[in-house]
Amino acid sequence: MDPIILASSSPRRQEILQRLNIPFIVHPSNIEETVPPTLSPKEIPEHLACCKVNAVVRQLGLTQEIGWVLGADTVICSGGKIYGKPKNREEAFAMLKKFQGHTHEVITGLVLYNGNIHDITTRTNVNKVTFNTMSDEEIAWYISTGEWHDAAGSYRIQGFASCFIKKISGSESGVMGLPIFELYDMLREQGYRILR
């Protein structure tokens, strides 16, 4: 099985690929995540994932033949507003305060580049996450765990945040940032076999 170049340094995405026994090489794109103002929240993750893949293909294509490149991006959307990664504890607290007692969307865009035939496949995965009502003390406790660092929306579903998540409509892997169903569907469409 050929290794896939993962255009992301996300430990969660790496964990999911390891769980599926898919060999991979981490090569973050380090793009500046700027978004055209004309895009809707549901279009943003796929756009950014495509930018990541294109950046890696350009970087590596100068020195080697490219096989497979996988890009992914996740955004949180609530009330039409996008919530990214918090810059500090105060911002993380404010995000969680906004989410508590409400439902928001977690949108992940996936892009797979097949260098053998120079083709790109894309998918978008949308999930709804409902937080239970949280006290300021509970939010402060969660912030103290440090899980908010480098996490879109200030939380990680697979960690202590699960104490406060009342309901998920969709897939847990999608909320983690690499939806397994969509990933498998893309790989199968492009002829990359993970069943051995």
Side-chain angles (χ1 to χ4, degrees):
M1 196 182 313
D2 293 335
I4 290 175
I5 296 168
L6 178 62
S8 167
S9 57
S10 164
R12 266 64 53 198
R13 293 183 180 121
Q14 294 174 46
E15 285 169 23
I16 290 171
L17 289 175
Q18 287 168 345
R19 201 185 320 162
L20 297 172
N21 291 320
I22 296 174
F24 64 93
I25 299 162
V26 176
H27 190 94
S29 62
N30 299 319
I31 63 162
E32 184 154 337
E33 298 190 2
T34 54
V35 178
T38 54
L39 293 183
S40 71
K42 287 186 179 171
E43 294 171 314
I44 291 171
E46 197 174 293
H47 168 80
L48 291 173
C50 197
C51 290
K52 291 176 183 180
V53 167
N54 286 335
V56 169
V57 169
R58 278 195 307 274
Q59 291 165 8
L60 296 179
L62 300 172
T63 57
Q64 66 187 66
E65 203 169 295
I66 310 277
W68 305 89
V69 182
L70 175 65
D73 195 82
T74 301
V75 299
I76 308 279
C77 183
S78 179
K81 182 180 175 185
I82 296 293
Y83 292 84
K85 298 173 183 175
K87 297 180 184 68
N88 51 46
R89 295 172 71 93
E90 292 74 26
E91 197 170 289
F93 188 96
M95 282 187 196
L96 292 170
K97 182 88 171 167
K98 167 83 175 158
F99 297 155
Q100 63 89 28
H102 298 285
T103 299
H104 61 266
E105 288 187 325
V106 180
I107 308 163
T108 297
L110 291 181
V111 174
L112 179 68
Y113 173 74
N114 179 345
N116 302 311
I117 58 173
H118 305 288
D119 191 30
I120 283 184
T121 303
T122 65
R123 297 285 188 280
T124 295
N125 170 270
V126 182
N127 305 280
K128 292 185 186 304
V129 176
T130 304
F131 267 83
N132 196 17
T133 303
M134 298 168 72
S135 67
D136 285 359
E137 182 184 14
E138 287 171 321
I139 295 172
W141 171 79
Y142 182 71
I143 298 294
S144 74
T145 68
E147 284 186 358
W148 61 272
H149 287 284
D150 203 36
S154 305
Y155 71 91
R156 299 193 195 291
I157 194 172
Q158 70 278 20
F160 293 111
S162 58
C163 295
F164 307 107
I165 292 172
K166 191 174 184 178
K167 183 180 176 186
I168 300 169
S169 297
S171 72
E172 186 172 336
S173 62
V175 180
M176 288 174 65
L178 192 60
I180 293 172
F181 175 81
E182 284 81 359
L183 173 63
Y184 178 71
D185 196 43
M186 293 167 71
L187 292 170
R188 184 175 58 178
E189 181 181 304
Q190 286 288 353
Y192 185 99
R193 292 182 54 82
I194 66 171
L195 304 179
R196 293 285 183 252

